[in-house]
Amino acid sequence: MTAGLSTISFTDYHTAGEPFRIVEDVRLPIDGETVAAKRVFAQNSPELNAVRMLLCREPRGHSDMYGCFVVAPDDQDADFGVLFFHNDGYSTACGHGTIALGAWAVHSGRIVSDPDGVTPVTIDVPSGRVVAYVTQTAGEVTSVAFENVPSYPVRRGVDVATSVGHVNVDVAYGGALYASVPASALGLHVTLDHVPALRALGREIKWALNDSDVASHPRDPRLSGIYGTIIVEELGDTDRGLHQRNVTVFADGRIDRSPCGSGTAARLALLADDQRLDSGQELIHDSIVGTRFIGRFRPSGHESPGAIIPTVEGMAFRTGRGDFILDPADPVGAGFLL
């Protein structure tokens, strides 16, 4: 942390169990004409990274913590911009965070909202422009659905060597690049008692692919890299579509408690490509802790083959707000990870 920045204010939410820490005023410069450029600046800023670590690491956070800095949007057509962060850096997309930001924008009064209707909140994120649709009844937020950037399959049946043998994974883009693999192919179930193995194998698959050509974004190198591994368990068909449970192992072995919003978008692209899900049908997407997102899609005219426009619906709840203080005499400084 820099001298003069010893206190930082935050508002905390959780979306389907996954934390999201919102910092509206970081009081440090974040340069760049676009949010994507601001992300590059933040990645290379020792001062911003010190704040990120303070917010994410123990004793103020934990190894799987998530949050954001609110920044200026790309232009006046968006309500605000955002840089998503976690313990390993800055992500290009964050669906659970987008849901939380929609709720926060209404709760905080940043957006003039309809107390008995749906209010759009337009947000510039590093992967593009997304819109959160916040539904209220009698002034209470009851759900948030966000429409994501175009999402599409990237590569099917990629062979990956793991510690339990070779597996085939499917790579798709949903604002970030994800590798999907059935839990059965790893000899696992998406249950809490399998978390150590799920974490380890998800991490193996991510790093096995991260520097390969399949992890290269075709138009914007800033979006390259496998962000996470989605390990999927089938729960059967429904009258409205499909029911699945997943765990997403993101960044460097971090576990998403929610069903992962941008990961749900990537899953929808694969399911549409497989013709297992039609436009208008639903993916009931459960998390490893039993929370749920609902995914839908519509066709897209995007240039990438198989592209769709996904919508992911969930709910976020306020959990707290306050100030964190860094005492210059504190020997653990910006914190630590276990």
Side-chain angles (χ1 to χ4, degrees):
M1 300 282 283
T2 57
L5 185 62
S6 57
T7 303
I8 188 162
S9 301
F10 64 91
T11 303
D12 274 2
Y13 277 73
H14 85 83
T15 304
E18 177 72 357
F20 195 70
R21 179 159 286 160
I22 301 169
V23 177
E24 188 174 3
D25 181 12
V26 72
R27 290 179 288 152
L28 285 169
I30 305 180
D31 295 341
E33 293 186 2
T34 65
V35 172
K38 289 180 174 70
R39 175 175 175 261
V40 174
F41 178 89
Q43 288 173 314
N44 295 294
S45 168
E47 293 82 10
L48 284 169
N49 280 307
V51 177
R52 174 182 60 79
M53 288 187 288
L54 178 88
L55 293 164
C56 287
R57 294 182 173 188
E58 295 187 51
R60 301 167 186 88
H62 55 79
S63 63
D64 298 332
M65 193 67 200
Y66 223 114
C68 78
F69 298 132
V70 178
V71 298
D74 292 358
D75 58 51
Q76 62 184 5
D77 291 332
D79 295 305
F80 52 88
V82 64
L83 296 181
F84 300 116
F85 59 68
H86 46 76
N87 264 303
D88 300 301
Y90 299 86
S91 58
T92 59
C94 178
H96 90 274
T98 300
I99 290 171
L101 285 162
W104 167 79
V106 168
H107 287 149
S108 66
R110 189 180 181 105
I111 300 295
V112 177
S113 65
D114 182 348
D116 283 293
V118 180
T119 301
V121 181
T122 304
I123 308 168
D124 282 334
V125 306
S127 58
R129 180 162 289 173
V130 299
V131 182
Y133 294 94
V134 183
T135 299
Q136 293 183 89
T137 302
E140 294 293 325
V141 175
T142 56
S143 71
V144 183
F146 77 96
E147 186 172 86
N148 201 16
V149 298
S151 303
Y152 46 86
V154 173
R155 189 84 55 85
R156 309 303 298 259
V158 181
D159 179 74
V160 178
T162 75
S163 57
V164 295
H166 285 258
V167 296
N168 287 328
V169 307
D170 296 322
V171 177
Y173 179 77
L177 288 163
Y178 290 91
S180 284
V181 61
S184 58
L186 304 172
L188 298 172
H189 293 285
V190 180
T191 53
L192 292 174
D193 57 324
H194 284 185
V195 162
L198 291 164
R199 186 192 298 270
L201 286 164
R203 190 171 182 269
E204 281 184 38
I205 292 167
K206 178 251 175 73
W207 288 119
L209 293 174
N210 195 61
D211 294 326
S212 70
D213 65 329
V214 75
S216 179
H217 192 277
R219 286 170 295 278
D220 188 344
R222 295 173 299 187
L223 303 176
S224 293
I226 300 294
Y227 178 58
T229 303
I230 305 172
I231 303 172
V232 182
E233 190 158 19
E234 298 283 349
L235 298 180
D237 295 350
T238 73
D239 292 340
R240 297 178 296 176
L242 298 174
H243 189 189
Q244 297 180 341
R245 179 169 57 236
N246 88 90
V247 63
T248 299
V249 183
F250 69 90
D252 191 17
R254 313 305 178 187
I255 293 282
D256 196 329
R257 277 73 169 155
S258 83
C260 187
S262 53
T264 298
R267 290 292 306 152
L268 287 166
L270 292 172
L271 292 168
D273 188 58
D274 286 336
Q275 299 184 340
R276 293 191 61 200
L277 202 66
D278 292 328
S279 178
Q281 290 186 302
E282 293 181 348
L283 169 63
I284 300 173
H285 216 201
D286 291 349
S287 76
I288 196 166
V289 299
T291 55
R292 177 171 291 178
F293 288 159
I294 303 296
R296 307 176 186 88
F297 72 90
R298 60 180 173 84
S300 168
H302 191 266
E303 62 188 282
S304 298
I308 60 165
I309 300 295
T311 297
V312 180
E313 182 178 357
M315 183 57 188
F317 296 91
R318 290 169 285 192
T319 58
R321 64 171 176 260
D323 300 319
F324 283 135
I325 297 169
L326 178 63
D327 187 328
D330 187 344
V332 304
F336 56 89
L337 292 176
L338 289 180

